[in-house]
Amino acid sequence: MNKEVSPTRALNGTIKLPPDKSISHRSVMFASLHEGRSVIRNFSSAADPHSTIECMRGLGVTVSKNESTVAVEGVGRDRLQSPEGDLDCGNSGTTMRLLSGIIAGSGVSARLIGDESLSARTMKRIIDPLTEMGAEITAREDDFAPLEISRPGSLKPLHFPLPIPSAQLKSCVLLAGLFGDKQTEVIETLPSRDHTERLLNLTIKKIGDEKHIYSSRTDKVPEQSYRIPNDFSAAAFWLVAGAIHPNAEISLPNVGMNPTRFAALDILKQMGANITVSDEHNEGAEPVADLSVVSSKLHPIEITEEFVPNCIDEIPILMIAMLFADGVSRISGAEELRHKETDRLAAMAKMLEKAGADFTEYEDGFEIRGNPDFVPESTSFNSYHDHRIAMSAAVLSMMGDHPSQIQHAECTAISYPSFWNDLSLLTN
Ligand code: S3P
């Protein structure tokens, strides 16, 4: 499906953002490992968390969904069942990587499959530690899905300094560790999102710059009955749209404000974005606040490696903000974006080139020579079936002189099913 996006005179309104995708995945997985019922409110209706629900059902867990409320009859750690068919993770890297940890830890046998994009993403990062823990994993070309996972012997604890700052990898190993008699220890130097540690209430020790996180069978898996905050990663599209558009006022209630997720908020504020944060409070283990943004004058910024994990999913939309800043912005240390749903650095380079932007692409980032008067070419943008690329192209298109087309626009349903509706709501 192609979507046409027209330039708009104004962007005004209040948006009910989609519930947080990362927390939605984890809530169902962890509720399944809790013994007893959990009721999760404001659960995402996006395609990725739906894949997780289906996989947990495949492992013998009863999960029911009524609008945005999900009830999970948790079976605990010892009563997951080997599925009869494949577990289909769809487009979702979080589903495949976290679930692999649960399967390896629990000792059930399962085959995990994914769509074309997920089947082209490296799984070596999780195969190596899980194999060290005693799992037997067969993968296509030793690296890619389908993954066949079993654990014939006993589960070995692991001492694991993270080779890359990935929350999916960290969570995978910690989840496998939850099944072990001895403690597994994951050591993180650059902090990545910490929902797993928070929701499982894991033991953490800070030693210098290192964060040591522990999991073992003696950790009680808590009930997961809470209201999921709205997704900061979805909010970021409107924060940028509101900041770059000359006539904008957008309100975004109940947004997740986990400090390991909102680097993009700090970055936009440093760029001069007029963003207000109000009514800060906690929902369960997670901080939440109302955000609003109005038209702003943006200045250039430099994003270096240490900030990347905390804005990993927001880099594409931050690049759109940089196009409208009054100077040269730079991103480095962002090579990991080449391993997302698509090679996001390459996809953004194509988008910027088509839009007529002034930029240089590097292996690990970009230099973007911004201009507050920049008017992007109106054209047809390829999303490469990547939800965050499609939404970034939509925000860019609103700033053109004429309508643009976004190709494969249906992919926004992966994380933000109401994106196109919300866009028309803001422009009407
Ligand atoms: C996620 C972690 C990030 C992020 C992804 C969701 C998670 O991936 O890009 O969209 O929920 O743990 P990495 O941890 O692999 O960087």
Side-chain angles (χ1 to χ4, degrees):
M1 170 182 98
N2 277 5
K3 254 291 178 223
E4 186 169 274
V5 179
S6 299
T8 174
R9 203 183 37 78
L11 274 178
N12 279 315
T14 299
I15 294 297
K16 159 68 182 93
L17 291 164
D20 190 279
K21 182 160 80 72
S22 288
I23 300 176
S24 293
H25 285 299
R26 287 164 172 80
S27 65
V28 186
M29 290 184 192
F30 304 170
S32 302
L33 300 180
H34 167 74
E35 264 180 68
R37 184 181 172 86
S38 294
V39 178
I40 307 152
R41 288 174 299 129
N42 200 38
F43 189 90
S44 171
S45 63
D48 270 6
H50 183 73
S51 296
T52 296
I53 290 185
E54 286 304 320
C55 288
M56 294 323 294
R57 285 178 176 153
L59 290 166
V61 182
T62 303
V63 184
S64 52
K65 188 164 188 282
N66 185 355
E67 296 187 347
S68 67
T69 300
V70 165
V72 181
E73 310 300 334
V75 297
R77 269 167 275 199
D78 297 319
R79 293 212 309 281
L80 291 172
Q81 292 163 16
S82 296
E84 281 172 14
D86 292 340
L87 297 179
D88 189 351
C89 304
N91 189 250
S92 174
T94 306
T95 308
M96 186 167 279
R97 294 192 176 126
L98 270 58
L99 206 56
S100 297
I102 293 176
I103 290 166
S106 67
V108 300
S109 302
R111 185 169 183 268
L112 274 62
I113 60 169
D115 70 4
E116 201 182 316
S117 150
L118 184 55
S119 305
R121 293 176 67 182
T122 178
M123 292 296 145
K124 189 159 166 47
R125 58 183 63 183
I126 59 156
I127 293 173
D128 288 348
L130 292 178
T131 305
E132 257 192 78
M133 294 177 91
E136 261 181 23
I137 305 182
T138 319
R140 184 175 54 82
E141 294 167 27
D142 295 335
D143 194 353
F144 303 103
L147 302 181
E148 277 177 52
I149 307 179
S150 61
R151 183 175 48 76
S154 59
L155 184 73
K156 300 179 199 125
L158 193 66
H159 171 87
F160 189 59
L162 279 167
I164 36 172
S166 159
Q168 292 179 351
L169 175 57
K170 166 175 72 176
S171 303
C172 167
V173 173
L174 288 168
L175 285 168
L178 268 187
F179 294 82
D181 291 330
K182 297 211 178 102
Q183 249 177 356
T184 279
E185 177 182 23
V186 174
I187 303 168
E188 183 176 72
T189 37
L190 281 184
S192 63
R193 65 191 67 191
D194 66 357
H195 305 301
T196 298
E197 299 91 297
R198 283 175 186 253
L199 298 172
L200 290 175
N201 199 16
L202 296 178
T203 303
I204 295 170
K205 277 189 201 146
K206 292 265 171 64
I207 305 176
D209 286 345
E210 290 177 353
K211 180 177 162 191
H212 295 237
I213 316 155
Y214 303 88
S215 69
S216 78
R217 181 169 280 283
T218 51
D219 290 297
K220 191 171 178 293
V221 177
E223 183 184 326
Q224 301 289 313
S225 295
Y226 42 77
R227 186 184 160 79
I228 295 177
N230 294 330
D231 202 326
F232 177 81
S233 297
F237 294 101
W238 304 127
L239 293 177
V240 171
I244 62 178
H245 194 282
N247 183 7
E249 190 170 351
I250 304 173
S251 299
L252 307 161
N254 279 315
V255 185
M257 289 288 283
N258 182 310
T260 59
R261 289 287 296 283
F262 69 47
L265 180 73
D266 290 337
I267 289 166
L268 285 170
K269 278 185 161 178
Q270 278 179 52
M271 292 178 81
N274 224 323
I275 298 173
T276 312
V277 179
S278 58
D279 192 20
E280 292 179 70
H281 62 282
N282 278 346
E283 299 264 12
E286 295 282 344
V288 178
D290 294 344
L291 303 182
S292 60
V293 59
V294 294
S295 315
S296 316
K297 287 197 185 341
L298 296 183
H299 309 300
I301 188 97
E302 185 146 352
I303 303 179
T304 45
E305 187 182 8
E306 62 273 30
F307 298 103
V308 170
N310 299 150
C311 60
I312 184 99
D313 292 338
E314 289 71 67
I315 300 264
I317 191 62
L318 286 171
M319 289 175 63
I320 303 297
M322 291 171 184
L323 291 175
F324 297 89
D326 56 359
V328 181
S329 295
R330 289 186 187 84
I331 303 169
S332 58
E335 206 269 342
E336 183 64 13
L337 266 83
R338 298 200 181 276
H339 307 289
K340 295 293 174 188
E341 284 82 330
T342 187
D343 175 341
R344 285 188 175 152
L345 298 185
M348 288 307 292
K350 285 272 181 249
M351 190 192 304
L352 267 48
E353 190 185 317
K354 281 207 126 183
D358 186 6
F359 72 99
T360 309
E361 180 191 1
Y362 298 100
E363 194 44 39
D364 69 336
F366 276 86
E367 178 177 290
I368 294 179
R369 297 171 283 278
N371 172 4
D373 300 320
F374 177 58
V375 180
E377 299 279 340
S378 299
T379 178
S380 180
F381 292 111
N382 193 343
S383 67
Y384 301 93
H385 303 272
D386 182 319
H387 51 132
R388 300 200 198 280
I389 300 298
M391 294 187 276
S392 301
V395 171
L396 179 61
S397 300
M398 285 191 293
M399 302 299 286
D401 266 343
H402 300 284
S404 283
Q405 305 290 325
I406 318 296
Q407 296 166 25
H408 317 296
E410 68 284 349
C411 65
T412 54
I414 289 295
S415 65
Y416 195 161
S418 59
F419 178 79
W420 300 110
N421 277 347
D422 289 350
L423 179 68
S424 36
L425 201 143
L426 288 174
T427 52
N428 282 327

